[in-house]
Amino acid sequence: MHSSLHVPGSPTIFSLILICPGGPGSGKGTQCEKIVERYGFTHLSSGDLLRAEVSSGSERGKQLAAIMEKGELVPLDTILNMIKEAMIAKASTSKGFLIDGYPREVRQGEEFEKKIGAPCLLLYIDAKAETMLMRLIKRGETSGRSDDTAQTIKNRLELYYKATEPVIAYYQGRGIVRKINAEGSVDEVFSQVANAIESLQ
Ligand SMILES: Nc1ncnc2c1ncn2[C@@H]1O[C@H](COP(=O)(O)OP(=O)(O)O)[C@@H](O)[C@H]1O
Ligand SMILES: Nc1ncnc2c1ncn2[C@H]1C[C@H](O)[C@@H](COP(=O)(O)OP(=O)(O)O)O1
Ligand SMILES: [Mg+2]
């Protein structure tokens, strides 16, 4: 496995960084849980960090909740700083970071590299729009998430195709993107994920 990666000029040294972009409902969180189980990476979900801030009842949390329930992106600096603080807090004991749900637009990717470091693998969890829609509606039955409602799901899918899918092209040229077909069962998807991670060794 890679030794610690240091991007020149980045303020701190982190061990390897894997990022896991994909549409809403593609299965990022589900796959990340299985990756943590098998490889012990530190999983940081941008959405979970935001929801923790919302449930803290802070003023900032209230503002974030209003944005998220519309399916819009929260301010770049907010989510980037939350991820950076979480990484620094875990840097000394982490085997490597698995960043879930970030970047969601190209400039987030650019800022991440300026302020944190360069990813070494991009696990692009790719599912069809109708599959994501179906999974989100089903998740909405139990998640209690204010952004798993029909209108917000529609907004989030539109935003994904407009802002997030271009992120894949941004990294494509570096040969670090592994496209994972997320249409099958959880285990079928995970076997592709495991192959991609083991190709790093
Ligand atoms: N391969 C899969 N097949 C069927 N359902 C899945 C699969 N992966 C995830 N799900 C379900 O779809 C919903 C979205 O999965 P989740 O991991 O939360 O995706 P994301 O984090 O990308 O939004 C969840 O209810 C999850 O249980
Ligand atoms: N990188 C990011 N930039 C801006 N907003 C983000 C973000 N990551 C998450 N959010 C906000 C907008 C998302 O619709 C919401 C939920 O994110 P999430 O939990 O990653 O969604 P999902 O797991 O359904 O893909 O939080
Ligand atoms: Mg998720």
Side-chain angles (χ1 to χ4, degrees), residues 23-30 135 139 184-186 189:
S26 57
K28 301 183 298 298
T30 302
R135 289 178 183 172
R139 184 176 75 185
S185 72
V186 173
V189 176

Side-chain angles (χ1 to χ4, degrees), residues 9-183:
S10 73
T12 45
I13 293 180
F14 289 112
S15 56
L16 80 167
I17 301 173
L18 288 73
I19 51 181
C20 193
S26 57
K28 301 183 298 298
T30 302
Q31 292 304 316
C32 287
E33 277 167 30
K34 295 180 74 69
I35 294 171
V36 169
E37 227 171 277
R38 181 175 294 185
Y39 301 101
F41 294 138
T42 307
H43 175 211
L44 295 176
S45 156
S46 53
D48 290 350
L49 291 169
L50 292 165
R51 282 184 286 277
E53 178 71 24
V54 170
S55 46
S56 76
S58 67
E59 202 35 54
R60 183 169 76 157
K62 291 191 182 87
Q63 289 158 15
L64 293 172
I67 296 169
M68 292 163 74
E69 63 197 26
K70 287 185 280 179
E72 293 166 3
L73 296 184
V74 305
L76 185 154
D77 289 340
T78 301
I79 187 62
L80 182 54
N81 289 334
M82 288 171 93
I83 290 174
K84 185 173 174 188
E85 280 159 25
M87 290 178 76
I88 290 172
K90 305 257 170 104
S92 56
T93 55
S94 174
K95 279 190 181 169
F97 289 94
L98 181 59
I99 311 292
D100 166 5
Y102 184 106
R104 276 190 145 91
E105 54 186 352
V106 172
R107 70 192 185 97
Q108 288 190 359
E110 294 162 343
E111 285 305 304
F112 187 93
E113 298 200 0
K114 280 188 208 145
K115 302 216 169 94
I116 298 179
C120 62
L121 186 68
L122 213 101
L123 295 166
Y124 168 31
I125 310 296
D126 180 37
K128 295 190 195 101
E130 51 274 23
T131 305
M132 293 192 275
L133 177 63
M134 187 191 67
R135 289 178 183 172
L136 287 175
I137 290 172
K138 193 154 172 357
R139 184 176 75 185
E141 289 164 9
T142 52
S143 70
R145 281 176 48 168
S146 62
D147 59 349
D148 280 348
T149 54
Q151 184 55 48
T152 304
I153 289 172
K154 185 171 163 296
N155 299 346
R156 296 179 67 212
L157 285 169
E158 275 165 20
L159 184 66
Y160 166 69
Y161 288 110
K162 189 164 126 260
T164 310
E165 220 177 26
V167 165
I168 307 302
Y170 171 71
Y171 291 101
Q172 202 77 44
R174 303 185 202 175
I176 60 170
V177 176
R178 299 291 179 276
K179 187 170 178 178
I180 305 293
N181 178 341
E183 289 295 313

